[in-house]
Short mmCIF file of all heavy atoms in Angstrom, two decimals:
data_model
loop_
_atom_site.label_atom_id
_atom_site.label_comp_id
_atom_site.label_asym_id
_atom_site.label_seq_id
_atom_site.Cartn_x
_atom_site.Cartn_y
_atom_site.Cartn_z
N ASN A 76 -4.68 1.22 -39.81
CA ASN A 76 -5.61 1.35 -38.67
C ASN A 76 -6.48 0.09 -38.52
O ASN A 76 -7.71 0.16 -38.63
CB ASN A 76 -6.49 2.59 -38.84
CG ASN A 76 -7.18 3.00 -37.56
OD1 ASN A 76 -6.88 2.48 -36.49
ND2 ASN A 76 -8.12 3.92 -37.66
N THR A 81 -10.00 6.23 -33.63
CA THR A 81 -9.80 7.66 -33.89
C THR A 81 -8.56 8.11 -33.12
O THR A 81 -8.03 7.36 -32.28
CB THR A 81 -11.02 8.47 -33.45
OG1 THR A 81 -11.19 8.31 -32.03
CG2 THR A 81 -12.28 7.99 -34.16
N MET A 97 -0.11 -1.43 -15.31
CA MET A 97 0.85 -1.07 -14.27
C MET A 97 0.27 -1.36 -12.88
O MET A 97 0.92 -2.02 -12.06
CB MET A 97 1.22 0.41 -14.38
CG MET A 97 2.31 0.82 -13.40
SD MET A 97 2.83 2.54 -13.58
CE MET A 97 1.38 3.39 -12.93
N ILE A 140 2.18 -4.74 -46.27
CA ILE A 140 3.18 -4.28 -47.24
C ILE A 140 3.63 -5.44 -48.13
O ILE A 140 3.76 -5.28 -49.36
CB ILE A 140 4.37 -3.64 -46.51
CG1 ILE A 140 3.99 -2.25 -46.01
CG2 ILE A 140 5.60 -3.54 -47.42
CD1 ILE A 140 5.03 -1.60 -45.13
N ASN A 163 -7.09 3.66 -72.68
CA ASN A 163 -6.42 4.80 -72.07
C ASN A 163 -6.00 4.46 -70.64
O ASN A 163 -6.56 3.57 -70.00
CB ASN A 163 -7.35 6.02 -72.08
CG ASN A 163 -6.59 7.30 -71.80
OD1 ASN A 163 -5.37 7.35 -71.84
ND2 ASN A 163 -7.34 8.36 -71.51
N ALA A 206 -1.12 9.12 -50.42
CA ALA A 206 -1.19 9.63 -49.04
C ALA A 206 -1.70 8.57 -48.06
O ALA A 206 -1.54 8.72 -46.85
CB ALA A 206 -2.08 10.86 -48.98
N GLU A 212 7.09 1.29 -52.50
CA GLU A 212 6.54 0.68 -53.72
C GLU A 212 5.30 1.43 -54.21
O GLU A 212 5.09 1.54 -55.43
CB GLU A 212 6.19 -0.78 -53.47
CG GLU A 212 7.38 -1.71 -53.36
CD GLU A 212 8.04 -1.66 -51.99
OE1 GLU A 212 7.52 -0.96 -51.10
OE2 GLU A 212 9.08 -2.32 -51.81
N ALA A 238 8.74 -6.19 -63.45
CA ALA A 238 9.83 -7.16 -63.32
C ALA A 238 10.59 -6.96 -62.00
O ALA A 238 10.96 -7.93 -61.33
CB ALA A 238 10.79 -7.03 -64.51
N SER A 285 8.90 -54.68 -13.31
CA SER A 285 9.48 -56.02 -13.45
C SER A 285 10.59 -56.22 -12.43
O SER A 285 10.73 -57.30 -11.82
CB SER A 285 10.04 -56.20 -14.86
OG SER A 285 9.02 -56.05 -15.82
#
Side-chain angles (χ1 to χ4, degrees):
N76 196 10
T81 62
M97 185 177 71
I140 285 173
N163 195 14
E212 287 80 4
S285 300

